[in-house]
Structures are given as C-alpha cells and as structure tokens.
Amino acid sequence: MSALTTPFGFSSTATEVAQGIDLTGRRAVVTGASSGIGAATAHALAGTGAEVTLAVRDMTAGERVAKDITGSTGNQEVRVAHLDLTDPASVTAFTTAWEGPLHVLVNNAGVMACPEKYTEQGWEWQFATNHLGHFALTTGLHGALAADGAARVVVVSSTGHQQSPVVFDDVNFAFRPYDPWLAYGQSKTAGVLFAVEATRRWAGDNITANALMPGAIYTSLQRHTGGRGSGRVPAHLIKTVEQGAATSVLLATSPSSKASAAATSSTATRPRSSTVAPARCTESPATPSIRTTRDGCGPCRNSWGRGQGCECGCCSRFMSRCLAGSGAIASSRSMASWSGVPGSAV
C-alpha cells in the first residue's frame, strides 16, 4: 500500500472533493443517509451524476432528504430503501432485492455511546448497528460489488476505536460492566478490521475497502451524549456536516484513493497537501484532543480520563496484531451466524 496525497484539508467540503468527478451510470448506496454526514455524502454523490440509494430506517426522513437532493442537484436517480441494521431480516431483504452491479457502498449509519440495549438476537446495540449490520450488508452485496470490477466500500469509523479492541470473549458485556464508550470503541475497531480484511480477501474482485475518521461533527449521532460527543474536542476542531462528509466522498470517488486501500484515512481532515500513509491501529491519525495510547490499552489509558483499570485484557500489541488481519478473521468467524448465512464471513 502506498501513501495517498490530496490537495484537500480540514475545511474541504464534500462538494469540493467531488468537483469534476463524473459518476454518470454508476450506482451508490449510502446507509444512514436521512440526516447528518450521510445525507451530505448522498448529496455530493448525486451531484456527480451517480444513481444514489439512501438506505435508511426512517423512510419519511429519507424521502424528504431524497426530494431535497433531487431538487438541488437535478438528479432524478435518487432512491430510498428501508434498512434497519439491527434486524437481520431487514438487511437480508435489502440485499435480496438489490439487482445489478453496485459501484460504491458507504457504510455510514451508526450510533454512539447509547444506553445499554440489545437486539432481539441478543447483540449489543452499538456493535450490531455499527458493525454486524454493515458486515451482513456488505457480504450480502458482494456479488453486486464484484460485478462492477472496481467497486469501493467506504467504512465510516472513528478515532473512538482507540477506546477498545474487539473483545471477542465478551462482545455483549456479559461478564463486565457495560460502558457505552467501550462498546462504541470496539464497534468502530471492528469496522476498521473489516475494511482491512475485505480488501485483502476480495482483491481478486478488485473491490477496495477503506475505513475513515470523518472528524468531530455535531449531528444526531451525539443525541445520547448531550449533543456534544465526548465534550473534549476544542471548538476550532469541530467541522460542519459538509466538511465531515468530505473524506467519505473522497474515498468513494477519487481515482487515487485505491492507493490507500484499507488504511484508516483522515485525508480531508489534515492540512492541505498532506500525505496519509497506510495506518496501523496504534498509528491511526488522531486529533490533538484524542491521543493514541502506545503502551497500554484504550480502556485503561484513554483520553477521556476514566482512570479505570483494564477489564478487557487488551494491549497495544494485540491491537497492532489484529489490524494485520487476525482480528478481522476471528471477527468474521464469530459473527457470521448473525446474518444467518453460514460461511458468509469475509
């Protein structure tokens, strides 16, 4: 993997990143596109001429956003489809109904630091929404992605992944106290691992997957944290929704983004003319307010200052090792049954 250099920076918007890109005749799916950076991502992709499907749980909100996108871009190929990532049946219905090739899949939908909650199948809510649902969606659409011959998968992760590795022995907090931030962290780590392993295993299909950190943006994602996330990000590092969608659009559209396949990218959040090298778990780009722990695990030495002891048995060596692929393989084996398709693991 080679480094990726772009002319974009912290203030770049999704529209600016998509400037001059023509995706006429190509098809994209954006999950969670009824609001926030998902809606901004869908808007920018529609502006390139692509056929865009908004995969949303709230159909009323999705239809409203689709109407706004069509009105402002003139693109008549903006569609809305129901998708509940916490419901395996809903994911299966979406993938079964899809016909033809798929060129871009943006796994954007997510939940952050919510109160303790579990799906009907018993999965912790954040892990089910942020990772398992997208895992099943992407593997279910593998045939459509492979049919394109040069498809992109974009996984919206977060520097919050530094909070926790995937704790395979206790994903659902059965043997440790529930912590909303640790749950969020492991779900975002899982997304990064998935991007790494999807790119490796699907290389023969020429499918490129990237995980990204969009930056700090105030949207409905922070509804469980008083609207301000961790509350530790300085005001000058807060992005607008349009700026927050920029890196997703970059990885979905830029011809050069294939060079950074499976890297944790924050290209559009960095200074202009910056170079982003393929990242490892302990080397992921971090804002000044979120420091990467190199001598211990996220839960016991993290930037939120909990001061708690390590309850998950993780360490920085494990985090580096799992990003190299072993963690992703274990995750795929452990979670394949969620989708109801034995052996569907990436």
Side-chain angles (χ1 to χ4, degrees), residues 217-346:
I217 312 103
Y218 291 152
T219 67
S220 59
L221 180 68
Q222 289 85 16
R223 61 187 177 277
H224 298 297
T225 63
R228 289 294 182 269
S230 69
R232 299 296 186 89
V233 182
H236 69 280
L237 292 179
I238 303 299
K239 294 176 136 190
T240 66
V241 170
E242 261 279 301
Q243 292 169 342
T247 309
S248 293
V249 174
L250 176 80
L251 296 177
T253 64
S254 174
S256 62
S257 69
K258 287 181 70 65
S260 66
T264 302
S265 175
S266 60
T267 304
T269 71
R270 287 172 172 249
R272 291 185 179 274
S273 299
S274 63
T275 298
V276 179
R280 295 185 182 277
C281 219
T282 54
E283 300 172 333
S284 300
T287 63
S289 64
I290 305 177
R291 298 173 181 170
T292 305
T293 299
R294 304 183 189 281
D295 60 348
C297 68
C300 54
R301 296 185 182 86
N302 61 68
S303 61
W304 314 119
R306 296 186 196 285
Q308 64 187 35
C310 179
E311 298 175 333
C312 61
C314 65
C315 66
S316 59
R317 290 190 301 279
F318 169 79
M319 294 178 77
S320 294
R321 183 172 71 250
C322 70
L323 191 56
S326 61
I329 295 171
S331 177
S332 66
R333 290 173 179 166
S334 301
M335 310 310 167
S337 60
W338 183 88
S339 65
V341 184
S344 66
V346 172

Side-chain angles (χ1 to χ4, degrees), residues 5 12 19 28 39 65 86 97 115 128 142 169 209 256 322:
T5 300
S12 298
Q19 187 78 30
V65 171
T86 65
H142 173 257
D169 289 339
S256 62
C322 70

